[in-house]
Amino acid sequence: MNPAAELPLLHDLNPDQLAAVTCAGSALILAGAGSGKTRVLTTRIAWLIQTGRCSPPGVMAVTFTNKASKEMQTRLAAMLPINTRGMWIGTFHGLCNRLLRAHHRDAGLPELFQIFDQADQLAAIKRVLKQLNIDTERFPPRTVQNFINKNKEAGLRAAKVDAWDPFSRRLNEIYAEYDTQCQREGVVDFAELLLRSYELLTKNALLREHYQMRFQQILVDEFQDTSQLQYAWLKLLKGAHAALFAVGDDDQSIYAFRGAYVGNMGQLMEDLALPAPIKLTQNYRSHSNILDAANAVIAHNSGRLGKDLWTAAGAGEPLRHFKAWNDTEEARFIVEEARTLHAEGERYSDIAVLYRANAQSRAIEHALFSAGVPYRVYGGLRFFERTEIKHALAYLRLLANPEDDNAFLRVVNFPARGIGARSLELVDEAARVGGISLWQAACGAGAGTGKKGLAAFVGLIEAMQSECAILPLQEKIAVVIERSGLLAHYRHEKDGADRVENLEELTNAAVAFAAESEDTTLVGFLGHAALEAGEHEAVAGQDAVQLMTVHAAKGLEFHAVFLSGLEEGLFPHENASAEADGVEEERRLMYVAITRARRRLYLLHAESRMLHGQVRYGIPSRFLDEIPPALIQSFSVPRAPSYAGVSMSAAPEVTVAQAENQPFKIGARVTHARYGDGVVGGYQDQGADTEIRVSFPKIGDKWFIVTLARLTAR
DNA sequence: CAATCAAACATTTTT
DNA sequence: TGTTTGATTG
């Protein structure tokens, strides 16, 4: 036994984990799904420090999500008696932000530079396009945004981009102008955070050497998702002597479309002359039937680093493959099965429904909703992305940095204060001619001409500025949402109650931020808002079925997983076949999906599915065929071909089971599990299902599927 | 300026 | 099919 294993913190690591944790120098860890990756990462940091191999300030640990970085910090705090504050633990973007804040002058940025999120970036691009008088039909803002981000992620400034054809040349001109605008306004987008700090370290030898000296141990999570620029950034920081500990899984690389480059794994081995990756293949999550299925599917990919997952747990249940006639039946199956599982003692929150595309959630939500089964959909708008919050943040940004034209435009006339397109055009003109910001132009216009609205707006911002100057963060926010008129505006709006609540919640967010980060500055909070859009997760304590895309499920696990829509064209998605290695990436996505399940996995496919308002007939996904049949139990519900979607010519079975289809008389008083008392308003045939309309006094009319709705007579 | 309407459109999205 | 975007209109 390795003497190192005497340390309590290394107890019950398996041999591979132990080898990874205690390895010397740089390493690539190939960490399969559910193999204890996070544990290895945090234990290594703790081990490095406890054995005196590294001091806390010598550690940098990089993740992709705030969630992952928080989890790492929490676990470390539990393992180490010391404060983890000396370490740099955070996301790529968070750490770059930190670097640029500390050296803003060297990076050529104003002290209070602001961060654009995707939406801000898009708005800024639209402004550039307008200014350059560019036809947005030929150059859609999204295309421009992709072009800019792709190039930044590849480390290329506009001057370095190879643009030969007229189209890319024009795109590149827009890129250049966009960057100029950002620089003028003192804002950086997400990709810019990376590129700017990379350039800072490249150009500034003193700084580079300082950080290379400081960080002796650099650890990276989800290494397969790094972009080329991120990898270059890591290598730069690593320098000649530090150790780079990269943990990742090439089989779970599903973000190529966002610039992730799996090739970095092979490149790392080559660059650092590493012998072979350390493979963590023991899975602590799933039964072997599930793992065997995952292994079999992913084996169809080429160019893998290569690994098979195994488990000490038993075979477990077979996978269940359900063939539904259509998406409605698929959804109904999920509901019934979820209810059964729940009745058997499973918590709803341990059940997940995964799908390839968000649009698939609707049918499932509808069925769950009608049946009164609690559920939660991941992936909607997050807190800091809500319009009312963005408005409030824009006011705050304007206070911190009046040059921010994006923020200016967002709030100059919101709430409406009589500043129309005409006035704004004049301001815009003045700004362009004078080479000044909209804010400066507005100050001039407000004072000089008789533009009352503008003068009032300028006065308002200035008043808020002086009023807020000495207030603590949360009071600044309170003042801004009040004085700006945002609160009043939403209070008067009919459906504004939620928005008012969110605005008030913003002050709480500020308090929480100040407490957690010990940063009480406005700019600190704004950075936090841009880099951490807020939680996506379910409210703790609420027991609900989890609905999400397969992408969103990465890193999560559930007792039971329903994988819906396993049809050619949907999963693998039809667009994927056009992309290089597209199908292989879809297969990795399938691999991620399968490995989410602990005990039970349902594979669902529907013969016909309503897609974009049209019935589409799908053949079962090739991925189903790639799973050994011995692992699968297949079944379906026999059904007469009377469903309109299946056969247009078949006569509808109107006379069958009429009583069962319409269990309540119209006008009957019923009670619903969720909505309480109501009155039956009518019925409607919806393909295979009959729907019932119930009027609730407070809520209004609701439609339910008769066979699913939990209605009782009263 | 808000409200309404037709047209376009619909993978995935850690920051 | 359902949502989002933009253009038109009162």
Side-chain angles (χ1 to χ4, degrees), chain A residues 128-147:
Chain A
V128 172
L129 291 174
K130 205 169 197 177
Q131 198 145 106
L132 294 179
N133 243 324
I134 283 168
D135 178 15
T136 50
E137 299 274 285
R138 284 191 51 218
F139 296 91
R142 292 242 169 245
T143 309
V144 177
Q145 188 177 30
N146 276 335
F147 179 88

Side-chain angles (χ1 to χ4, degrees), chain A residues 425-712:
Chain A
E425 235 164 76
L426 287 174
V427 174
D428 193 55
E429 183 63 27
R432 216 176 319 170
V433 170
I436 52 175
S437 66
L438 293 175
W439 166 255
Q440 285 171 357
C443 289
T449 62
K451 286 276 176 290
K452 267 203 236 132
L454 269 179
F457 177 69
V458 169
L460 172 67
I461 297 295
E462 281 172 343
M464 290 200 292
Q465 250 166 352
S466 56
E467 193 171 336
C468 290
I470 51 156
L471 293 178
L473 180 56
Q474 68 266 31
E475 285 174 39
K476 277 191 175 89
I477 295 171
V479 166
V480 164
I481 60 179
E482 183 63 51
R483 291 283 310 267
S484 64
L486 282 175
L487 271 181
H489 177 267
Y490 287 120
R491 280 208 187 102
H492 288 134
E493 213 176 61
K494 320 197 256 302
D495 299 319
D498 283 349
R499 296 181 188 272
V500 170
E501 215 168 280
N502 286 332
L503 283 173
E504 282 161 354
E505 184 62 31
L506 188 61
T507 40
N508 298 337
V511 173
F513 165 76
E516 202 175 302
S517 66
E518 292 178 0
D519 182 350
T520 54
T521 65
L522 175 56
V523 171
F525 179 65
L526 289 171
H528 166 80
L531 292 176
E532 191 167 350
E535 294 298 314
H536 250 337
E537 8 249 290
V539 187
Q542 212 212 338
D543 187 35
V545 175
Q546 312 283 302
L547 270 63
M548 66 192 86
T549 63
V550 180
H551 280 92
K554 196 177 117 181
L556 306 178
E557 58 178 46
F558 307 93
H559 281 166
V561 168
F562 293 88
L563 188 45
S564 96
L566 286 172
E567 296 128 46
E568 284 291 304
L570 229 202
F571 199 175
H573 198 276
E574 55 195 346
N575 295 0
S577 52
E579 293 157 22
D581 295 330
V583 173
E584 296 219 336
E585 175 133 332
E586 294 289 302
R587 190 174 281 111
R588 292 192 289 268
L589 200 50
M590 179 71 182
Y591 177 78
V592 168
I594 294 172
T595 53
R596 296 311 96 196
R598 277 218 273 257
R599 298 205 287 252
R600 194 177 274 210
L601 178 61
Y602 295 91
L603 306 160
L604 314 170
H605 96 263
E607 296 240 303
S608 76
R609 178 179 299 278
M610 194 64 105
L611 210 61
H612 308 330
Q614 235 138 37
V615 178
R616 293 222 342 202
Y617 300 88
I619 57 173
S621 168
R622 70 190 73 183
F623 300 146
L624 280 171
D625 299 330
E626 293 171 1
I627 299 173
L631 302 175
I632 302 182
Q633 195 177 74
S634 287
F635 53 105
S636 62
V637 175
R639 161 157 308 166
S642 64
Y643 173 54
V646 170
S647 168
M648 299 302 282
S649 55
E653 295 173 82
V654 281
T655 54
V656 176
Q658 186 72 29
E660 198 177 296
N661 278 353
Q662 304 191 352
F664 304 103
K665 283 187 181 146
I666 288 173
R669 290 142 63 80
V670 294
T671 303
H672 185 269
R674 190 163 172 147
Y675 297 108
D677 295 343
V679 177
V680 174
Y683 291 90
Q684 188 184 2
D685 274 323
Q686 280 287 88
D689 296 304
T690 301
E691 292 200 336
I692 181 170
R693 193 181 81 228
V694 184
S695 304
F696 298 97
K698 291 213 181 102
I699 305 141
D701 286 5
K702 290 280 174 200
W703 285 96
F704 306 103
I705 296 171
V706 168
T707 47
L708 295 175
R710 289 198 226 163
L711 292 169
T712 47

Side-chain angles (χ1 to χ4, degrees), chain A residues 129 132 134 138-139 144 147-148 151 157-159 161-177:
Chain A
L129 291 174
L132 294 179
I134 283 168
R138 284 191 51 218
F139 296 91
V144 177
F147 179 88
I148 293 174
N151 280 302
R157 291 284 173 202
V161 173
D162 277 328
W164 298 110
D165 56 301
F167 185 70
S168 351
R169 270 218 299 278
R170 197 83 180 108
L171 278 173
N172 205 36
E173 283 166 27
I174 302 168
Y175 175 15
E177 181 54 32

Side-chain angles (χ1 to χ4, degrees), chain A residues 70 74 120 135 141 148 150 160 239 302 323 349 437 518:
Chain A
K70 255 188 217 143
T74 315
D120 296 324
D135 178 15
I148 293 174
K150 277 267 140 57
K160 291 275 177 62
S302 59
K323 181 178 94 168
S349 54
S437 66
E518 292 178 0

Side-chain angles (χ1 to χ4, degrees), chain A residues 95-383:
Chain A
L95 296 179
C96 286
N97 182 35
R98 191 167 171 178
L99 209 58
L100 293 176
R101 293 274 168 217
H103 309 288
H104 63 89
R105 200 178 280 274
D106 291 311
L109 288 169
E111 185 184 357
L112 302 180
F113 73 85
Q114 308 284 308
I115 301 167
F116 271 180
D117 66 14
Q118 296 281 27
D120 296 324
Q121 186 188 34
L122 196 63
I125 287 169
K126 284 180 184 165
R127 274 195 291 129
V128 172
L129 291 174
K130 205 169 197 177
Q131 198 145 106
L132 294 179
N133 243 324
I134 283 168
D135 178 15
T136 50
E137 299 274 285
R138 284 191 51 218
F139 296 91
R142 292 242 169 245
T143 309
V144 177
Q145 188 177 30
N146 276 335
F147 179 88
I148 293 174
N149 290 337
K150 277 267 140 57
N151 280 302
K152 286 194 179 186
E153 271 154 26
L156 295 172
R157 291 284 173 202
K160 291 275 177 62
V161 173
D162 277 328
W164 298 110
D165 56 301
F167 185 70
S168 351
R169 270 218 299 278
R170 197 83 180 108
L171 278 173
N172 205 36
E173 283 166 27
I174 302 168
Y175 175 15
E177 181 54 32
Y178 164 79
D179 260 4
T180 312
Q181 179 181 288
C182 287
Q183 183 62 32
R184 189 169 57 232
E185 296 177 19
V187 294
V188 297
D189 57 49
F190 287 147
E192 184 72 23
L193 281 170
L194 262 309
L195 183 52
R196 192 62 78 103
S197 71
Y198 175 75
E199 288 172 346
L200 171 69
L201 293 172
T202 315
K203 288 178 193 155
N204 194 322
L206 228 56
L207 270 180
R208 183 174 64 242
E209 282 156 17
H210 167 79
Y211 282 107
Q212 286 177 343
M213 199 100 80
R214 171 180 173 159
F215 296 121
Q216 288 307 300
Q217 296 286 342
I218 300 174
L219 302 96
V220 196
D221 191 18
E222 305 277 19
F223 187 71
Q224 78 283 351
D225 288 338
T226 50
S227 68
Q228 305 207 27
L229 179 60
Q230 283 161 341
Y231 178 49
W233 184 86
L234 288 168
K235 274 202 294 186
L236 198 58
L237 271 173
K238 175 192 169 301
H241 306 296
L244 184 54
F245 186 83
V247 181
D249 181 359
D250 56 334
D251 291 334
Q252 292 190 71
S253 164
I254 55 174
Y255 283 108
F257 71 94
R258 273 187 109 270
Y261 177 63
V262 216
N264 284 339
M265 298 187 88
Q267 195 60 50
L268 176 78
M269 294 209 285
E270 203 181 307
D271 289 347
L272 303 186
L274 298 175
I278 297 175
K279 297 181 184 180
L280 306 180
T281 54
Q282 181 172 4
N283 173 292
Y284 296 94
R285 180 183 295 158
S286 313
H287 284 138
S288 71
N289 281 342
I290 291 166
L291 294 182
D292 290 349
N295 286 332
V297 168
I298 201 67
H300 287 80
N301 269 6
S302 59
R304 301 169 57 216
L305 293 173
K307 71 173 166 8
D308 269 340
L309 296 175
W310 62 278
T311 175
E317 301 171 12
L319 281 58
R320 290 149 207 256
H321 170 209
F322 180 70
K323 181 178 94 168
W325 295 108
N326 56 57
D327 46 350
T328 313
E329 196 194 353
E330 181 190 72
R332 180 180 13 205
F333 172 81
I334 292 170
V335 171
E336 282 171 2
E337 204 63 26
R339 266 181 169 177
T340 307
L341 289 171
H342 185 65
E344 289 168 357
E346 193 76 86
R347 290 193 331 205
Y348 277 132
S349 54
D350 274 327
I351 302 172
V353 184
L354 308 185
Y355 34 79
R356 175 67 243 267
N358 284 310
Q360 287 167 256
S361 76
R362 193 165 305 129
I364 299 160
E365 282 182 67
H366 178 79
L368 287 164
F369 191 82
S370 302
V373 174
Y375 67 90
R376 182 164 197 291
V377 187
Y378 282 65
L381 264 193
R382 294 185 290 181
F383 183 72

